[in-house]
Amino acid sequence: MKIVQVLATSGGVGGLEQHTFNLVNQMSLEHEVHILAHPCYAEKFNERVTFHAVDFARSRWNIFLLWQLKTLINQIQPDIVHAQAGKAAELISKIRAWLKPVKFVTTVHGTKKNKAIYAAGDAVIAVSQALTQGIPAEKAHVVYNGVYAQPPLSDQQKQVLKAEIYAQYPHLDTSKKIVMCIGRLEPVKNIALLIQAMQGIDANLWIVGDGSLRKSLETQVQQKNMQEQVLFLGFRTDARNLIQLADAVVLSSDREGFPLVMVEALQADKTMASTKVNGVIEWLPTAYLADIGQTDELHQAIENALSEQAKSDYSPLFSRAKNELTVEAMTQQTLDIYEHLLQSK
C-alpha cells in the first residue's frame, strides 16, 4: 500500500504530532509511507519514511501551498491520503478535485464544533467516541491513541532520578506522595484549577511542562503559600520516566481529544484523577472524575486516586491499556480502515 500522511502543524510537539510520528513510523515497517510535514519535524521519522518538507506555517488559503500539495501528491500517486487534524483536512479537501483518484481519510484529534471539513473524507477517524459526534455514522471510526511501551525503571534508577529532582528543591518533604501533572502550561490545561484542588492534600505536586502561564502559576503557588508542596520542573525529555515516580497522575484540562498522558499513566500502572474530558470519560471510573472546572470535585478525585482502593479499581485498566492502547494496535486498526476503503472502490 502506498500512503501519504499530511501533518500541517508548524512547530511544537503535542499529542497530535506524537500520534503522527508513531503512526507513520509503525506503518513504514510494512508499507510505503510518505509524510508531508514542516521541515522542523524531519528528524522525527525513521529512514524508511519518505519525508517531504512543506512550509505549513503558510495560510490554508495560500495558493502556492495548495499548488505544492497537489503537485507532490500527484507525483507520489498514493492509494491513501490521510490528513491529520483540521488544517490538513481542509487543505486536502480544497485540492481533491485536482488529485488523481485516491481515497481520502481524515482524523479528528480534538473538540471541534464544525466537523464538516472532516466529513469531506471517505473515512473519518476519531481518537475518542465523543469526537464522532457530527460525523456521518457510515464514515466514522474510533481509533484510540496508542504509545510504545516504556521500559520500567529499576528501583535504584527511580531513587537516583527522585534524588536528582529533590536536590533542586531542598525545602520539600521527600517522604510525601507525589501527584504528577504533565502538560503544556496553557489555558486549556487549567493547571490553576489543579493547584487549587491540591490545597489540603498531603502530597507534593510535580508540574512537568512549560508554557505561557508559568509565571502566573508560580505566583498563584506563592500567594497560596504552597511553595513547600508544588514544584515546577519545566519541559523534560524524560517525562515518561518521571511518571514512574508518581503515586497518582492528574489531568485538569477543560478540553482534550484523547490524552496521551492518560495512556502513558495507565501503561505505567499509575492511578489517575481527571476532569471529565473526551477520551478520559470512556476509560476512568467515575470516582476518579470531576466535572470540568470544579475544584472540590477534583480535590476529592485526587484523594481517591491516592487511596489504597484505587489500586484494585485500576488493576483491570492497567492490563487493558497495555493490550489496547499501543502503537501497534492503533496502526493496525488504521490500516484496516484503509483496506476497507480500497476494497470498496
Side-chain angles (χ1 to χ4, degrees):
M1 201 184 314
K2 191 185 288 189
I3 302 157
V4 165
Q5 293 275 349
V6 185
L7 175 64
T9 57
S10 54
V13 176
L16 157 63
E17 290 80 15
Q18 194 58 57
H19 167 100
T20 307
F21 305 154
N22 290 345
L23 184 68
V24 168
N25 287 329
Q26 188 68 26
M27 282 185 172
S28 73
L29 299 179
E30 296 183 12
H31 299 276
E32 180 182 335
V33 186
H34 298 252
I35 176 73
L36 279 52
H38 192 276
C40 68
Y41 300 128
E43 294 182 2
K44 300 293 186 179
F45 300 97
N46 65 45
E47 67 282 353
R48 290 179 295 270
V49 175
T50 305
F51 186 88
H52 303 267
V54 177
D55 180 11
F56 281 110
R58 293 174 289 180
S59 159
R60 62 189 72 193
W61 296 98
N62 185 295
I63 191 68
F64 299 105
L65 174 58
L66 293 166
W67 180 266
Q68 183 183 12
L69 292 174
K70 175 198 77 82
T71 303
L72 272 172
I73 293 169
N74 281 338
Q75 285 173 350
I76 297 166
Q77 296 186 45
D79 302 299
I80 298 283
V81 173
H82 188 161
Q84 298 289 343
K87 183 174 181 180
E90 186 171 346
L91 287 166
I92 301 305
S93 67
K94 286 181 192 299
I95 63 171
R96 191 173 185 190
W98 289 273
L99 296 178
K100 294 170 184 175
V102 66
K103 293 295 184 181
F104 177 30
V105 178
T106 60
T107 293
V108 188
H109 285 271
T111 307
K112 307 290 178 187
K113 288 180 182 174
N114 186 352
K115 301 232 178 70
I117 199 65
Y118 295 99
D122 299 306
V124 183
I125 296 172
V127 297
S128 69
Q129 192 67 47
L131 296 181
T132 62
Q133 291 178 7
I135 302 296
E138 68 275 10
K139 291 187 176 186
H141 305 265
V142 177
V143 177
Y144 290 133
N145 284 333
V147 298
Y148 290 109
Q150 182 78 350
L153 298 178
S154 67
D155 289 341
Q156 183 180 4
Q157 287 172 317
K158 288 179 184 176
Q159 288 170 4
V160 169
L161 183 55
K162 191 174 179 180
E164 173 210 315
I165 299 294
Y166 276 133
Q168 303 167 51
Y169 299 89
H171 56 285
L172 266 68
D173 183 345
T174 61
S175 67
K176 288 190 175 183
K177 288 185 175 181
I178 297 167
V179 172
M180 194 169 296
C181 161
I182 299 176
R184 294 173 292 118
L185 307 190
E186 301 297 342
V188 71
K189 300 298 183 181
N190 206 347
I191 309 299
L193 176 76
L194 172 56
I195 292 170
Q196 279 185 282
M198 281 296 296
Q199 289 185 281
I201 292 178
D202 188 27
N204 290 330
L205 173 61
W206 291 20
I207 299 174
V208 183
D210 223 329
S212 63
L213 296 183
R214 178 160 179 171
K215 270 195 174 162
S216 67
L217 293 170
E218 288 175 335
T219 299
Q220 179 188 359
V221 167
Q222 290 166 359
Q223 289 173 343
K224 294 186 180 300
N225 293 315
M226 296 174 70
Q227 301 96 314
E228 305 292 314
Q229 183 182 14
V230 182
L231 56 121
F232 291 85
L233 294 183
F235 174 77
R236 301 271 304 204
T237 57
D238 61 347
R240 294 190 69 191
N241 282 339
L242 289 174
I243 278 184
Q244 296 184 46
L245 304 183
D247 293 286
V249 176
V250 182
L251 268 170
S252 52
S253 306
D254 294 335
R255 292 192 317 277
E256 291 283 352
F258 191 83
L260 287 178
V261 169
M262 179 183 75
V263 181
E264 291 163 353
L266 293 178
Q267 287 199 355
D269 294 344
K270 299 302 175 183
T271 62
M272 289 193 70
S274 178
T275 45
K276 294 177 181 176
V277 289
N278 290 336
V280 171
I281 56 175
E282 296 165 33
W283 275 75
L284 302 193
T286 54
Y288 306 94
L289 296 174
D291 285 331
I292 291 167
Q294 295 300 307
T295 306
D296 292 346
E297 291 183 23
L298 186 59
H299 176 97
Q300 187 58 57
I302 296 168
E303 292 276 26
N304 292 347
L306 289 169
S307 70
E308 284 301 313
Q309 178 62 38
K311 293 170 185 173
S312 57
D313 287 349
Y314 270 89
S315 183
L317 286 182
F318 296 153
S319 300
R320 187 181 164 205
K322 290 180 181 72
N323 289 327
E324 296 181 29
L325 301 181
T326 67
V327 173
E328 293 83 0
M330 171 181 82
T331 302
Q332 189 55 57
Q333 289 169 50
T334 304
L335 289 169
D336 289 345
I337 293 165
Y338 295 174
E339 293 281 6
H340 180 76
L341 279 181
L342 294 173
Q343 288 166 10
S344 63
K345 279 184 179 178

